[in-house]
Amino acid sequence: MRYFIWFSYDGTRYHGWQIQPNGVTVQSELQRCLSLLLREEVTVTGAGRTDTGVHARRMAAHFDTQQTFDPAVLVHKLNGLLPYDIGVQKIEAVAAGQHARFSAVSRTYRYYVHTQKNPFLRHYSLELHYKLDYALMNEAGRVLMEYDDFGAFCKAGSDVKTTLCHVTHAQWHQTAPDAWYFEITANRFLRNMVRAVVGTLIEVGRGRLSIEGLRKVIEGGQRTQAGESMPAKALFLEDVSYE
């Protein structure tokens, strides 16, 4: 049987989602605990890969097992065994062909920023000390939806077969007088793409890059021409959607 597992995690302590030879990852912890509870070697396939320090509010993965169990009971036992910074919300049986990664139709990320020192946001939002033109940054976000090739925002050396992505939403939202988040939805994302997009939009918001300049960056396809990659701590995978 194939099962989907829905969970969230604070990525601060982890070397990303994917298993690494010399670091603790979310995938390795989830597999370890599932294997212990089901008493067999379990392989978990995630909806995507998050980098070191990136968080997930709603992540999906699938695993296969011939064991019979009550999903609600397994959720309860998993949450008792997993580290404090990984939490499982739901486990459900799905069709054999359903795939956590390839069946997903969209992913949504949010990047959080604030402008006033706040000790309660320091781990999950980026503190900025310069004025930004959010209306202009939203205009730049709409420009992103006009393009399909995002090679300019892909980390150099990434082993991707294509840099094509379909962005359906890209907008800044204000949540308080001194706090905003950038939300972006696409069918897929390249490695480091969201953090590079945010860094480039901030260049626009600071008046260092024009809208026409942004178009040239995207059309040029060179990572060196785009903005810096922003810190991972403020990035959250917010949701993964399926048909």
Side-chain angles (χ1 to χ4, degrees), residues 89-108:
Q89 289 82 48
K90 184 179 181 181
I91 295 175
E92 58 185 341
V94 296
Q98 189 81 345
H99 194 285
R101 179 183 175 190
F102 298 125
S103 298
V105 295
S106 71
R107 287 97 169 153
T108 297

PDB file of all heavy atoms in Angstrom, residues 89-108:
ATOM      1  N   GLN A  89       0.870  15.730  10.795  1.00  0.00           N
ATOM      2  CA  GLN A  89      -0.545  16.064  10.939  1.00  0.00           C
ATOM      3  C   GLN A  89      -1.482  14.956  10.457  1.00  0.00           C
ATOM      4  O   GLN A  89      -2.554  14.755  11.012  1.00  0.00           O
ATOM      5  CB  GLN A  89      -0.880  17.347  10.160  1.00  0.00           C
ATOM      6  CG  GLN A  89      -0.307  18.621  10.756  1.00  0.00           C
ATOM      7  CD  GLN A  89       1.138  18.845  10.367  1.00  0.00           C
ATOM      8  OE1 GLN A  89       1.489  18.738   9.189  1.00  0.00           O
ATOM      9  NE2 GLN A  89       1.973  19.175  11.323  1.00  0.00           N
ATOM     10  N   LYS A  90      -1.050  14.220   9.414  1.00  0.00           N
ATOM     11  CA  LYS A  90      -1.990  13.276   8.810  1.00  0.00           C
ATOM     12  C   LYS A  90      -1.244  12.210   8.011  1.00  0.00           C
ATOM     13  O   LYS A  90      -0.211  12.482   7.401  1.00  0.00           O
ATOM     14  CB  LYS A  90      -2.947  14.035   7.884  1.00  0.00           C
ATOM     15  CG  LYS A  90      -4.045  13.218   7.247  1.00  0.00           C
ATOM     16  CD  LYS A  90      -4.931  14.102   6.368  1.00  0.00           C
ATOM     17  CE  LYS A  90      -6.060  13.340   5.727  1.00  0.00           C
ATOM     18  NZ  LYS A  90      -6.892  14.206   4.847  1.00  0.00           N
ATOM     19  N   ILE A  91      -1.778  11.000   8.022  1.00  0.00           N
ATOM     20  CA  ILE A  91      -1.320   9.917   7.144  1.00  0.00           C
ATOM     21  C   ILE A  91      -2.562   9.343   6.476  1.00  0.00           C
ATOM     22  O   ILE A  91      -3.563   9.080   7.146  1.00  0.00           O
ATOM     23  CB  ILE A  91      -0.573   8.816   7.922  1.00  0.00           C
ATOM     24  CG1 ILE A  91       0.729   9.374   8.525  1.00  0.00           C
ATOM     25  CG2 ILE A  91      -0.268   7.619   7.015  1.00  0.00           C
ATOM     26  CD1 ILE A  91       1.473   8.382   9.403  1.00  0.00           C
ATOM     27  N   GLU A  92      -2.495   9.156   5.157  1.00  0.00           N
ATOM     28  CA  GLU A  92      -3.664   8.646   4.437  1.00  0.00           C
ATOM     29  C   GLU A  92      -3.236   7.706   3.315  1.00  0.00           C
ATOM     30  O   GLU A  92      -2.196   7.900   2.671  1.00  0.00           O
ATOM     31  CB  GLU A  92      -4.482   9.801   3.865  1.00  0.00           C
ATOM     32  CG  GLU A  92      -3.714  10.711   2.926  1.00  0.00           C
ATOM     33  CD  GLU A  92      -4.529  11.909   2.466  1.00  0.00           C
ATOM     34  OE1 GLU A  92      -5.761  11.861   2.562  1.00  0.00           O
ATOM     35  OE2 GLU A  92      -3.907  12.889   2.002  1.00  0.00           O
ATOM     36  N   ALA A  93      -4.043   6.675   3.071  1.00  0.00           N
ATOM     37  CA  ALA A  93      -3.792   5.750   1.972  1.00  0.00           C
ATOM     38  C   ALA A  93      -4.153   6.434   0.658  1.00  0.00           C
ATOM     39  O   ALA A  93      -5.142   7.160   0.571  1.00  0.00           O
ATOM     40  CB  ALA A  93      -4.615   4.481   2.152  1.00  0.00           C
ATOM     41  N   VAL A  94      -3.328   6.202  -0.381  1.00  0.00           N
ATOM     42  CA  VAL A  94      -3.577   6.791  -1.697  1.00  0.00           C
ATOM     43  C   VAL A  94      -3.414   5.717  -2.760  1.00  0.00           C
ATOM     44  O   VAL A  94      -2.953   4.600  -2.490  1.00  0.00           O
ATOM     45  CB  VAL A  94      -2.604   7.966  -1.974  1.00  0.00           C
ATOM     46  CG1 VAL A  94      -2.828   9.100  -0.991  1.00  0.00           C
ATOM     47  CG2 VAL A  94      -1.154   7.487  -1.944  1.00  0.00           C
ATOM     48  N   ALA A  95      -3.781   6.063  -3.990  1.00  0.00           N
ATOM     49  CA  ALA A  95      -3.613   5.131  -5.105  1.00  0.00           C
ATOM     50  C   ALA A  95      -2.136   4.841  -5.332  1.00  0.00           C
ATOM     51  O   ALA A  95      -1.273   5.682  -5.067  1.00  0.00           O
ATOM     52  CB  ALA A  95      -4.227   5.715  -6.373  1.00  0.00           C
ATOM     53  N   ALA A  96      -1.849   3.653  -5.853  1.00  0.00           N
ATOM     54  CA  ALA A  96      -0.466   3.211  -6.020  1.00  0.00           C
ATOM     55  C   ALA A  96       0.347   4.148  -6.903  1.00  0.00           C
ATOM     56  O   ALA A  96       1.553   4.302  -6.724  1.00  0.00           O
ATOM     57  CB  ALA A  96      -0.442   1.795  -6.585  1.00  0.00           C
ATOM     58  N   GLY A  97      -0.298   4.782  -7.875  1.00  0.00           N
ATOM     59  CA  GLY A  97       0.426   5.655  -8.793  1.00  0.00           C
ATOM     60  C   GLY A  97       0.635   7.070  -8.289  1.00  0.00           C
ATOM     61  O   GLY A  97       1.336   7.875  -8.920  1.00  0.00           O
ATOM     62  N   GLN A  98       0.041   7.406  -7.138  1.00  0.00           N
ATOM     63  CA  GLN A  98       0.185   8.759  -6.598  1.00  0.00           C
ATOM     64  C   GLN A  98       1.602   8.958  -6.077  1.00  0.00           C
ATOM     65  O   GLN A  98       2.112   8.160  -5.303  1.00  0.00           O
ATOM     66  CB  GLN A  98      -0.837   8.983  -5.480  1.00  0.00           C
ATOM     67  CG  GLN A  98      -0.934  10.403  -4.984  1.00  0.00           C
ATOM     68  CD  GLN A  98      -1.788  11.286  -5.876  1.00  0.00           C
ATOM     69  OE1 GLN A  98      -2.076  10.920  -7.000  1.00  0.00           O
ATOM     70  NE2 GLN A  98      -2.178  12.432  -5.370  1.00  0.00           N
ATOM     71  N   HIS A  99       2.240  10.037  -6.512  1.00  0.00           N
ATOM     72  CA  HIS A  99       3.643  10.288  -6.179  1.00  0.00           C
ATOM     73  C   HIS A  99       3.755  11.662  -5.524  1.00  0.00           C
ATOM     74  O   HIS A  99       3.255  12.658  -6.050  1.00  0.00           O
ATOM     75  CB  HIS A  99       4.484  10.235  -7.459  1.00  0.00           C
ATOM     76  CG  HIS A  99       5.958  10.137  -7.237  1.00  0.00           C
ATOM     77  ND1 HIS A  99       6.721  11.213  -6.830  1.00  0.00           N
ATOM     78  CD2 HIS A  99       6.815   9.081  -7.377  1.00  0.00           C
ATOM     79  CE1 HIS A  99       7.985  10.835  -6.739  1.00  0.00           C
ATOM     80  NE2 HIS A  99       8.070   9.544  -7.054  1.00  0.00           N
ATOM     81  N   ALA A 100       4.420  11.724  -4.390  1.00  0.00           N
ATOM     82  CA  ALA A 100       4.509  12.983  -3.642  1.00  0.00           C
ATOM     83  C   ALA A 100       5.152  14.091  -4.464  1.00  0.00           C
ATOM     84  O   ALA A 100       4.744  15.257  -4.373  1.00  0.00           O
ATOM     85  CB  ALA A 100       5.289  12.778  -2.347  1.00  0.00           C
ATOM     86  N   ARG A 101       6.133  13.734  -5.260  1.00  0.00           N
ATOM     87  CA  ARG A 101       6.827  14.754  -6.055  1.00  0.00           C
ATOM     88  C   ARG A 101       6.174  14.965  -7.412  1.00  0.00           C
ATOM     89  O   ARG A 101       5.803  16.081  -7.781  1.00  0.00           O
ATOM     90  CB  ARG A 101       8.297  14.367  -6.238  1.00  0.00           C
ATOM     91  CG  ARG A 101       9.088  15.369  -7.080  1.00  0.00           C
ATOM     92  CD  ARG A 101      10.503  14.903  -7.289  1.00  0.00           C
ATOM     93  NE  ARG A 101      11.239  15.788  -8.193  1.00  0.00           N
ATOM     94  CZ  ARG A 101      12.438  15.512  -8.694  1.00  0.00           C
ATOM     95  NH1 ARG A 101      13.052  14.372  -8.376  1.00  0.00           N
ATOM     96  NH2 ARG A 101      13.028  16.359  -9.517  1.00  0.00           N
ATOM     97  N   PHE A 102       6.021  13.906  -8.177  1.00  0.00           N
ATOM     98  CA  PHE A 102       5.602  14.048  -9.573  1.00  0.00           C
ATOM     99  C   PHE A 102       4.099  14.289  -9.742  1.00  0.00           C
ATOM    100  O   PHE A 102       3.664  14.766 -10.786  1.00  0.00           O
ATOM    101  CB  PHE A 102       6.038  12.818 -10.378  1.00  0.00           C
ATOM    102  CG  PHE A 102       7.524  12.631 -10.409  1.00  0.00           C
ATOM    103  CD1 PHE A 102       8.096  11.434  -9.998  1.00  0.00           C
ATOM    104  CD2 PHE A 102       8.364  13.649 -10.835  1.00  0.00           C
ATOM    105  CE1 PHE A 102       9.475  11.258 -10.021  1.00  0.00           C
ATOM    106  CE2 PHE A 102       9.733  13.490 -10.859  1.00  0.00           C
ATOM    107  CZ  PHE A 102      10.290  12.295 -10.448  1.00  0.00           C
ATOM    108  N   SER A 103       3.297  13.950  -8.733  1.00  0.00           N
ATOM    109  CA  SER A 103       1.862  14.194  -8.831  1.00  0.00           C
ATOM    110  C   SER A 103       1.469  15.588  -8.343  1.00  0.00           C
ATOM    111  O   SER A 103       0.331  16.006  -8.530  1.00  0.00           O
ATOM    112  CB  SER A 103       1.084  13.139  -8.024  1.00  0.00           C
ATOM    113  OG  SER A 103       1.309  11.840  -8.541  1.00  0.00           O
ATOM    114  N   ALA A 104       2.401  16.297  -7.725  1.00  0.00           N
ATOM    115  CA  ALA A 104       2.100  17.641  -7.224  1.00  0.00           C
ATOM    116  C   ALA A 104       1.918  18.595  -8.404  1.00  0.00           C
ATOM    117  O   ALA A 104       2.670  18.558  -9.374  1.00  0.00           O
ATOM    118  CB  ALA A 104       3.227  18.131  -6.328  1.00  0.00           C
ATOM    119  N   VAL A 105       0.917  19.461  -8.308  1.00  0.00           N
ATOM    120  CA  VAL A 105       0.645  20.419  -9.387  1.00  0.00           C
ATOM    121  C   VAL A 105       1.190  21.806  -9.062  1.00  0.00           C
ATOM    122  O   VAL A 105       1.390  22.627  -9.958  1.00  0.00           O
ATOM    123  CB  VAL A 105      -0.855  20.496  -9.710  1.00  0.00           C
ATOM    124  CG1 VAL A 105      -1.343  19.167 -10.269  1.00  0.00           C
ATOM    125  CG2 VAL A 105      -1.666  20.888  -8.476  1.00  0.00           C
ATOM    126  N   SER A 106       1.417  22.084  -7.775  1.00  0.00           N
ATOM    127  CA  SER A 106       1.991  23.387  -7.416  1.00  0.00           C
ATOM    128  C   SER A 106       2.610  23.333  -6.028  1.00  0.00           C
ATOM    129  O   SER A 106       2.255  22.485  -5.195  1.00  0.00           O
ATOM    130  CB  SER A 106       0.940  24.496  -7.472  1.00  0.00           C
ATOM    131  OG  SER A 106       0.017  24.365  -6.418  1.00  0.00           O
ATOM    132  N   ARG A 107       3.553  24.245  -5.806  1.00  0.00           N
ATOM    133  CA  ARG A 107       4.139  24.478  -4.486  1.00  0.00           C
ATOM    134  C   ARG A 107       4.060  25.971  -4.199  1.00  0.00           C
ATOM    135  O   ARG A 107       4.185  26.781  -5.115  1.00  0.00           O
ATOM    136  CB  ARG A 107       5.610  24.065  -4.433  1.00  0.00           C
ATOM    137  CG  ARG A 107       5.855  22.550  -4.427  1.00  0.00           C
ATOM    138  CD  ARG A 107       6.145  22.031  -5.772  1.00  0.00           C
ATOM    139  NE  ARG A 107       6.616  20.649  -5.717  1.00  0.00           N
ATOM    140  CZ  ARG A 107       6.469  19.782  -6.706  1.00  0.00           C
ATOM    141  NH1 ARG A 107       5.881  20.154  -7.837  1.00  0.00           N
ATOM    142  NH2 ARG A 107       6.920  18.562  -6.588  1.00  0.00           N
ATOM    143  N   THR A 108       3.878  26.311  -2.942  1.00  0.00           N
ATOM    144  CA  THR A 108       3.826  27.709  -2.538  1.00  0.00           C
ATOM    145  C   THR A 108       4.852  27.960  -1.441  1.00  0.00           C
ATOM    146  O   THR A 108       4.898  27.223  -0.445  1.00  0.00           O
ATOM    147  CB  THR A 108       2.432  28.096  -2.028  1.00  0.00           C
ATOM    148  OG1 THR A 108       1.481  27.958  -3.088  1.00  0.00           O
ATOM    149  CG2 THR A 108       2.413  29.538  -1.527  1.00  0.00           C
TER     150      THR A 108
END
